[in-house]
Amino acid sequence: MRYVFNSEPEQYNEVPPTQPLELGKWHEKRGRFDEALSCFKQAAIETSLPSRESNDPGHSAQSWIEYGRLSARLNKYAEADKAFGHALRFGLNYAAASLREWASLMHRKGWSDRDIFNRLSAEASAHGIPAKCLGSALYEIGAYTEAALCFTMTNYDDMQSGMLHVCCLVANSRLDEAINLIAELKHEFAPRNWSWNEEQSFISLAHFLCKWKIEGHLPFLPTCMEDRLKLAETAVSLGMIPEAEIILSQEGTSGEYILIHLLYAEGYLCKAEERLSRMEDLPIDLSVPYGARLQFIAAERLYDRGQYERASALFQDLRQSKPDDTASRFGEAACYLQSALLSLSARIERLDCTEAVKQQALEYMKSIHAALHIVESTQWHTSWTPAQLRRESGSCHAMLLN
């Protein structure tokens, strides 16, 4: 791992930007959170000066949102709360991002779904923001009952809101209402602006699954494997895990691989890991469909639990077999960097360690932290929405880094 210590991340970077907003992003990417926060705050304040004539409300809204988001990340909740409130002033086009971040902040602070709904409903109403916009934000944090209420309160005119409304009803086991809504959506939107590959496909599959759930038996399975996979994917996204298991049960080992992938992608980490632990053939055959994805999941879970040596071996196998897989490359690099940090920390804690050695180790750690933040900024690690992370709780989430 010599190259880890000798690499200087700065030599690969361009000259820092001069605009506060872009400079803040530049600092954050390198793990300099205090400097980034200062830049975001400067950018946000500058957009609010009475003497400043801003022709770009998007820039103003983004400045406040970035300031609020990083403030929340650094547990500066009061500042974040005010920032998201400021961001709502810049119009409907930026309200969705503001409300989504604000709802997530309140959820992190331990607010109940009902309290989040009450607070943000008042804010949205004060700024003339339609209820469907708040409904989308509440859906993102898994407040499905309140989100469904928002969608019921408004006459939304877009298919996306209708799809989210259906998901909320299914999540609350209101399947008859979901089927009735699907019929309304088909009548209202089908003639005009449906996209078969996404919207109509989802609605049709959701209708099939709801009918199956209500009637208690499977009418038929699609003959095409691709169609069965899409049906299983929709089932998992709607929380219908037993139905997804039945759909994929006829596919043998391949079906099990696919099911683990779907569960993991939708936030059912414990269920995915439980199934993964039953398998005795890791590292698996990467030539098998979804085999590489399964090994990536296994490596990622080891990484999240601090088992960097085992994780790096799996990432290395992926990198060597699939050179174009950048996520496994960054995952392997992250393992080496984390291992280096552990090694240096142990060196510092040694009682017989001289002050000079400690200082040298601290300098190395500073460089490694910077390199690690750059690796993490590539978003190589799987990420989940707050709603997905609410699907399971406990030890499976305790060590997630992203």
Side-chain angles (χ1 to χ4, degrees):
M1 293 191 299
R2 182 177 298 277
Y3 73 91
V4 170
F5 296 117
N6 290 337
S7 66
E8 290 294 336
E10 294 302 332
Q11 65 181 304
Y12 302 110
N13 297 327
E14 69 283 359
V15 176
T18 57
Q19 295 297 323
L21 178 59
E22 297 305 318
L23 183 58
K25 296 177 182 178
W26 189 87
H27 281 305
E28 184 179 10
K29 183 178 180 180
R30 289 150 182 81
R32 302 167 184 164
F33 298 127
D34 290 337
E35 293 90 335
L37 188 65
S38 178
C39 290
F40 289 145
K41 184 175 183 179
Q42 179 186 348
I45 292 176
E46 286 181 356
T47 65
S48 303
L49 294 176
S51 60
R52 185 181 180 87
E53 296 182 3
S54 175
N55 296 319
D56 187 0
H59 181 273
S60 302
Q62 187 181 5
S63 297
W64 282 108
I65 292 170
E66 292 294 342
Y67 176 51
R69 181 190 54 76
L70 186 54
S71 293
R73 181 175 181 179
L74 299 177
N75 299 323
K76 299 178 182 291
Y77 295 141
E79 291 88 338
D81 193 85
K82 293 178 182 178
F84 297 138
H86 277 293
L88 287 182
R89 301 177 181 179
F90 297 97
L92 180 59
N93 290 339
Y94 318 101
S98 304
L99 289 173
R100 184 171 59 249
E101 293 287 352
W102 208 350
S104 180
L105 168 67
M106 294 177 184
H107 175 62
R108 281 181 57 189
K109 291 170 65 177
W111 286 41
S112 69
D113 292 344
R114 177 57 61 168
D115 287 342
I116 295 173
F117 167 77
N118 290 336
R119 169 73 187 282
L120 293 186
S121 290
E123 294 287 345
S125 178
H127 292 87
I129 298 169
K132 70 172 186 177
C133 195
L134 176 57
S136 297
L138 293 172
Y139 175 84
E140 284 290 312
I141 65 167
Y144 298 124
T145 299
E146 289 71 20
L149 180 58
C150 288
F151 292 125
T152 304
M153 291 166 54
T154 184
N155 294 320
Y156 50 79
D157 57 359
D158 63 292
M159 189 62 192
Q160 183 64 30
S161 296
M163 292 168 60
L164 296 183
H165 194 179
V166 169
C167 292
C168 291
L169 293 174
V170 173
N172 288 326
S173 299
R174 297 160 60 181
L175 300 183
D176 288 322
E177 293 178 64
I179 288 178
N180 291 335
L181 177 57
I182 289 172
E184 294 177 16
L185 294 173
K186 287 182 176 180
H187 175 74
E188 178 67 21
F189 294 102
R192 290 187 290 163
N193 60 359
W194 274 39
S195 170
W196 171 260
N197 288 333
E198 296 189 17
E199 294 176 349
Q200 190 175 11
S201 175
F202 172 82
I203 286 297
S204 298
L205 295 174
H207 183 267
F208 180 95
L209 291 164
C210 287
K211 290 282 289 184
W212 175 5
K213 193 85 169 178
I214 291 172
E215 296 174 358
H217 62 85
L218 173 64
F220 65 90
L221 272 179
T223 57
C224 174
M225 173 58 183
E226 183 178 352
D227 292 339
R228 292 196 299 274
L229 175 57
K230 190 66 178 178
L231 182 62
E233 182 180 5
T234 305
V236 175
S237 73
L238 292 172
M240 299 182 179
I241 309 304
E243 286 72 20
E245 292 174 340
I246 292 172
I247 295 166
L248 295 172
S249 63
Q250 305 301 315
E251 311 299 333
T253 301
S254 177
E256 183 67 9
Y257 283 11
I258 294 170
L259 182 57
I260 292 173
H261 157 67
L262 293 176
L263 290 170
Y264 190 73
E266 286 292 335
Y268 294 100
L269 308 187
C270 294
K271 286 183 172 63
E273 191 162 23
E274 180 184 357
R275 289 179 174 274
L276 194 59
S277 67
R278 299 175 193 166
M279 307 182 70
E280 300 177 353
D281 54 347
L282 289 175
I284 58 181
D285 183 356
L286 302 182
S287 65
V288 176
Y290 286 87
R293 176 58 183 163
L294 213 65
Q295 182 152 318
F296 184 89
I297 292 171
E300 201 170 70
R301 295 306 291 156
L302 290 170
Y303 176 86
D304 290 341
R305 282 179 164 72
Q307 299 180 40
Y308 302 122
E309 185 173 349
R310 292 179 61 195
S312 65
L314 295 182
F315 282 131
Q316 184 182 56
D317 286 343
L318 284 172
R319 173 177 59 79
Q320 292 174 344
S321 64
K322 297 181 178 296
D324 294 334
D325 183 4
T326 57
S328 60
R329 284 177 170 273
F330 287 123
E332 184 183 3
C335 288
Y336 292 147
L337 292 167
Q338 294 282 11
S339 295
L341 288 175
L342 289 177
S343 176
L344 289 170
S345 296
R347 180 179 299 183
I348 291 174
E349 291 173 0
R350 287 173 50 187
L351 295 178
D352 59 346
C353 180
T354 66
E355 190 62 33
V357 171
K358 287 183 179 180
Q359 189 59 40
Q360 184 182 42
L362 288 172
E363 289 299 319
Y364 282 146
M365 291 179 72
K366 183 178 178 181
S367 295
I368 294 170
H369 272 296
L372 184 59
H373 282 295
I374 292 175
V375 170
E376 290 176 345
S377 72
T378 65
Q379 300 181 339
W380 68 270
H381 195 291
T382 306
S383 61
W384 299 271
T385 66
Q388 290 172 329
L389 290 176
R390 288 178 68 171
R391 287 173 165 166
E392 290 181 343
S393 59
S395 60
C396 280
H397 294 153
M399 297 193 69
L400 286 178
L401 301 181
N402 293 56

